[in-house]
Amino acid sequence: MLLIKLATKSLLNRKASALLTLFTIAISVMLLMSIERVRVDAKSSFSNTISGTDLIVGARTGDIQLLLSSVFRIGHANNGVSWKSYQFISEQRGVKWAIPMSLGDSHKGLAVLGTNKDYFEHYRFAKKQPLSFLQGHEFNHLFEVVLGAEVANTLGYQLGDEVVIAHGMGNTSFHNHDDNPFKVVGILKPTGTPVDKTLHIPLAAIDAIHGSHAHQHEPAQADANDHDHDQHDDVDLVGTPKQITAFLLGFDSPLYTLQVRRNINQYKDEALLAIMPGVTLRELWEMLSIVEKILLLFSIVVVLISLLGMLTSLLSSLNQRRRELAILRSVGARPWHIFTLISVESLLITGLGCIVGTALFYALMLLGADYLQSHAGISLNIALLSSYELMLLAAIMVAGFIVGLIPATRAYFYSLADGMSIKI
């Protein structure tokens, strides 16, 4: 206890260098904890992008390419799925629901998705959480649009605003369908998934806007469409498109999943591919595991650098403290007392650095949670430290103790005569 009090007073006497070392360790601990928490939660959010969907069906391509294009809106499908195939498969035994998806249009660089009302009823994210509305309702007319949360926030749209859809994905659009603007009737609550960055319109509207572009001199057709979408019939909002990008399937029982998947992959009328999103998400994350390792390595290197900084600080101050240590020896302190004193100082600096670093970690998580949710789709779990995180802190404490043994060992071998002698 006396040595702890002595070590504390010694550090206070050298508060400038001690605080600098402590702050360096705290920053490294904050980085390590933050990177680890973001890594774990990013993996969880990534895996929870789509939930409750048994199969994703699209044109035959790679599993990951189909997942990226249909769920993450990254890239595009080279081919589509014929409407005839969609209807045939969706009517198979065991199919509980089917959600058609048509991509290819955009609005100011954000994806536009043509779908049906089942999308709002059956689409799930995270742990089978349903979509819910922040304002408004689902589309009931042909030229109505439901916005994802980030679309509304970023572009400042409100209910009743008009939105013009453009042909083509990304920021480069080939043609604006400004002759058929869409009215905003609903805004979804944030999900932390690509749904937030998507504009949702009726599937039939995709054909309507492209049809009206092809027949710009036939206003009667546009008027007829306008009368048709006054009917609140889901069939009118779906229509009979030639093809769609992909579709999602849910089954009455998981037992149907593998059977139907095999049948779709062997479908003779069209080259189709059915993937299980959960399995493909894990495969995709395994491909990105190198990024995980690099981030973890980076944070470990930062911690090691901070501990080496502490070692440098203790060693440099040791030469200045030789007379202080000699005085302690002269009043009865034994070599092992000096050894313990220096070791306790390093432990105190490391321990306080871990405490301050953990406090900074939670402050950073609280400040950055909303940003990561809205911009990266990562839902941070601001909870107590996990057993793994506590193990990391314990490892830092052990590393700090080991580093402190080096100056403690040097101090141990300082002789009384060496400390008291005056060197010229």
Side-chain angles (χ1 to χ4, degrees), residues 36-180:
E36 182 59 25
R37 181 65 64 92
V38 170
R39 181 187 70 84
V40 172
D41 288 348
K43 185 175 182 179
S44 176
S45 298
F46 190 81
S47 302
N48 292 332
T49 302
I50 184 170
S51 175
T53 296
D54 295 311
L55 289 179
I56 301 175
V57 184
R60 189 167 295 169
T61 180
D63 291 17
I64 292 176
Q65 183 180 353
L66 176 58
L67 179 75
L68 291 176
S69 61
S70 60
V71 175
F72 291 93
R73 324 282 193 253
I74 298 174
H76 60 277
N78 295 326
N79 297 303
V81 179
S82 69
W83 187 249
K84 179 181 177 182
S85 296
Y86 163 75
Q87 287 183 311
F88 176 79
I89 294 171
S90 62
E91 292 170 358
Q92 295 301 300
R93 189 181 64 158
V95 175
K96 185 177 182 180
W97 50 263
I99 300 174
M101 306 174 70
S102 182
L103 295 160
D105 291 324
S106 63
H107 174 72
K108 297 185 178 180
L110 299 169
V112 172
L113 172 66
T115 185
N116 61 4
K117 287 187 175 183
D118 287 342
Y119 179 86
F120 303 105
E121 182 179 353
H122 296 295
Y123 189 91
R124 297 288 186 271
F125 67 97
K127 296 179 181 179
K128 296 188 177 181
Q129 295 184 38
L131 299 176
S132 56
F133 283 85
L134 183 65
Q135 300 178 47
H137 52 79
E138 61 190 25
F139 45 68
N140 289 316
H141 297 277
L142 193 62
F143 293 103
E144 291 182 344
V145 59
V146 173
L147 306 180
E150 190 171 338
V151 178
N153 290 335
T154 304
L155 302 179
Y157 287 141
Q158 301 290 335
L159 297 181
D161 290 347
E162 289 191 343
V163 175
V164 175
I165 304 300
H167 183 63
M169 297 291 288
N171 293 315
T172 303
S173 302
F174 300 106
H175 175 75
N176 288 327
H177 302 291
D178 45 13
D179 47 347
N180 287 315

Side-chain angles (χ1 to χ4, degrees), residues 14 23 25 45 47 53 57 115 119 126 196 234 244 248 257 303 313 361 371 394 410 424:
R14 297 175 288 109
F23 185 70
I25 293 176
S45 298
S47 302
T53 296
V57 184
T115 185
Y119 179 86
D196 297 343
D234 191 50
I244 55 177
L248 311 180
T257 303
V303 172
S313 175
F361 157 69
Y371 181 85
R410 288 194 62 180
I424 300 176

Side-chain angles (χ1 to χ4, degrees), residues 27 46 48 72 133-134 165 186 191 203 208 223 256 258 260 272 279 289 297 305 332 338 373 382 389 400 406:
I27 292 296
F46 190 81
N48 292 332
F72 291 93
F133 283 85
L134 183 65
I165 304 300
T191 64
L203 187 62
D223 293 340
Y256 291 104
L258 294 177
V260 175
L272 299 178
V279 174
S289 61
L297 179 63
I305 291 173
I338 304 298
Q373 175 76 28
I382 303 176
E389 289 167 336
I406 298 173

